[in-house]
Amino acid sequence: MPTAREIEKCLFALAPRDGAMDWDNVGLLVGDPEAEVSRVLVALDATQAVAEEAIEKGCQLIVTHHPIMNCKWLPVQTLREDTPQGRLLRRLTRENVSVICMHTNLDVAAGGVNDELAAALRLEDPGPFLEDGLGRIGHLAEPVPLADFAARTAAALNCNGLRYADAGKPVYRVAVGGGACGEYADVAAAAGCDTFVTADLSYHAFLDAAGKGINLIDAGHFPTEDPVCRVLIAYLQEQFPALSVEKSASHREAIQYYVKGESDYVRTF
């Protein structure tokens, strides 16, 4: 059976380490590099639920997109049982479960997060639209109304819901940025895109969309990145046929939506 180190090396062949942003933390972040691995659980995040699922299923390794620690939004300063992150890390180490994370290096990699997102939305001829390889621009087979494309996006990504802003244009030339890429809306507009699909957009991004002449679709962080899990599963199964590799059944979109229906109304007095 392969070791955690060998699996890490193989994943870096898919998404090279030097593609990661300088603040990022990728690779084998938890565990013994020489530990043998026979079962792998793949998820977007290494949450407590994912850890418990891995332990219950007898997995020696979790492979995720988002780093489990030491990145700009989740720095590790303590390892205490009475903190959520400390409890998770202690649980993993007690059970000898390793964690490998492929983050911004997988965003920019060929066949990674953004290529898979472009494929899910049926974009043709996708290519990077930023110098660092982040994001993709492609086009549809034919122009469609924004409302139709939004519905198609929600179905393709299995969204609980999505937010969008209509700049009054049909959808044809589309930029995508899996996860929080709202800062690149201006770049997408300057590249001649009529629509930008990403996540975690601010109020002002929607407010300014019409003036910038670009439709915006916020399809959610989890839905725009989760499709890459199937890439990781297929790749690991191809490279290590003896491995048992499966997607987490416990990790799913955390955001739920209440949508006001036609029967609802606001009463004024």
Side-chain angles (χ1 to χ4, degrees):
M1 288 296 173
T3 64
R5 187 193 303 275
E6 290 169 336
I7 294 174
E8 177 195 43
K9 180 180 179 180
C10 187
L11 286 168
F12 276 139
L14 172 69
R17 183 191 290 271
D18 60 11
M21 296 182 180
D22 56 9
W23 53 262
D24 206 0
N25 190 25
V26 298
L28 179 64
L29 304 187
V30 177
D32 178 1
E34 304 309 323
E36 291 192 348
V37 176
S38 61
R39 295 182 65 89
V40 180
L41 190 67
V42 175
L44 196 67
D45 300 271
T47 64
Q48 190 73 44
V50 169
E52 298 302 333
E53 182 184 357
I55 293 165
E56 181 181 346
K57 291 178 174 178
C59 298
Q60 299 85 24
L61 174 65
I62 299 170
V63 174
T64 72
H65 177 47
H66 292 137
I68 191 171
M69 60 183 177
N70 287 343
C71 51
K72 64 180 180 179
W73 66 84
L74 197 60
V76 175
Q77 300 296 328
T78 63
L79 192 61
R80 296 169 49 133
E81 191 69 26
D82 61 349
T83 66
Q85 189 181 28
R87 186 161 54 250
L88 170 61
L89 293 171
R90 283 169 53 83
R91 177 71 165 144
L92 290 166
T93 54
R94 284 197 302 266
E95 298 293 336
N96 296 316
V97 177
S98 301
V99 182
I100 294 175
C101 307
M102 296 281 125
H103 190 214
T104 51
N105 54 322
L106 190 59
D107 286 326
V108 303
V113 170
N114 285 293
D115 279 326
E116 191 64 14
L117 176 57
L121 300 183
R122 292 183 279 172
L123 299 188
E124 299 182 359
D125 303 319
F129 77 100
L130 294 170
E131 290 184 0
D132 60 7
L134 192 64
R136 297 292 184 267
I137 289 178
H139 61 85
L140 301 181
E142 59 184 18
V144 298
L146 176 60
D148 292 352
F149 182 71
R152 179 193 300 181
T153 299
L157 302 181
N158 196 29
C159 302
N160 289 340
L162 54 75
R163 304 181 299 159
Y164 69 93
D166 189 345
K169 294 182 176 181
V171 179
Y172 178 69
R173 184 168 169 82
V174 181
V176 299
C181 291
E183 63 195 279
Y184 303 117
D186 289 351
V187 181
C193 295
D194 50 68
T195 304
F196 185 34
V197 180
T198 186
D200 301 349
L201 290 169
S202 70
Y203 167 75
H204 288 286
F206 289 106
L207 190 66
D208 296 341
K212 294 178 178 179
I214 190 166
N215 305 316
L216 292 181
I217 294 181
D218 185 330
H221 204 116
F222 181 93
T224 57
E225 293 188 329
D226 190 59
V228 81
C229 289
R230 56 180 171 249
V231 172
L232 293 170
I233 292 169
Y235 179 74
L236 289 173
Q237 288 178 330
E238 178 184 4
Q239 298 296 314
F240 302 101
L243 275 185
S244 172
V245 187
E246 63 180 291
K247 189 175 188 295
S248 170
S250 64
H251 191 37
R252 57 183 65 89
E253 168 68 290
I255 299 172
Q256 297 177 317
Y257 294 82
Y258 172 78
V259 179
K260 184 177 178 179
E262 293 181 359
S263 61
D264 295 326
Y265 63 95
V266 177
R267 180 176 297 173
T268 59
F269 297 91

